[in-house]
Amino acid sequence: MTDTIDQRIAAIGERIRKAAGRAGRAPEQVQLVAVTKTVAADRIVPAIEAGISHLGENYIQEAMNKIDALSGRPVSWHFIGHLQSNKARFAVRYFDLIHSVDGEKLARELNRQAAKINKVQRILLQVNISDEATKSGVSADKTLELVRTVSRFENLAIEGLMTMPPFFDAPERVRPFFRALHGIRERIASAGIPGVSIKELSMGMTGDFETAVEEGATMVRIGTALFGERSQ
Ligand SMILES: *Cc1c(COP(=O)(O)O)cnc(C)c1O
């Protein structure tokens, strides 16, 4: 990439603004989460200085090192990768928002660990919207039930839903999946579960974030378009 990080952030911001405009939405409703997996701390600093304030990481060990190295920076850390229950203890200590809660077992353990440090952990539920065997996440038809269960955990706050649709070259082919996630959020809202008001939809990556914004995304998770291709 020959352009600067400032230019890339500006270009993505412009694309988000246009996509929001096409859907009659305010661009401020869309939070850019910069995905920094495999990106070293010294390459993250210029992004923060250029205005990035939300960072997404996939692996606990890698993330802890970077979060420690960047401590004191005014940023919010998001965990977006697959989380094993035995890492829940670290996740609640290091992350402001966990996007990838995919079942009751993990939720229960996060609740237990958050209670130990007197934290109310903000979470999203990851929905396996395309029901692929290889993807984690709760199935669409079990999501409402999981929301009900998790809503009783005092040290968790469910703020929304996240999904990773199947990878297609054509963003139009993922549109139905984004739309479906939006629909699930509406169904949960109309169920009127006490203490639950979910508003976040974490969906859209480098290849499809404009479609996601058109379909109601409130968080887009973007790595490649900001930091270039990952080597592994
Ligand atoms: C890597 C990753 C992203 C970012 O993907 P890009 O295509 O590089 O923008 C977003 N979400 C999750 C869950 C990821 O693992």
Side-chain angles (χ1 to χ4, degrees), residues 103-119:
E104 183 179 343
K105 176 170 178 262
L106 175 60
R108 192 175 291 283
E109 183 60 11
L110 286 168
N111 184 57
R112 197 171 79 84
Q113 296 295 344
K116 283 194 199 169
I117 58 169
N118 288 314
K119 180 181 185 184

Side-chain angles (χ1 to χ4, degrees), residues 162-176:
M162 178 271 226
T163 202
M164 298 251 297
F167 182 79
F168 289 127
D169 290 336
E172 279 315 310
R173 297 185 63 191
V174 295
R175 187 182 297 279

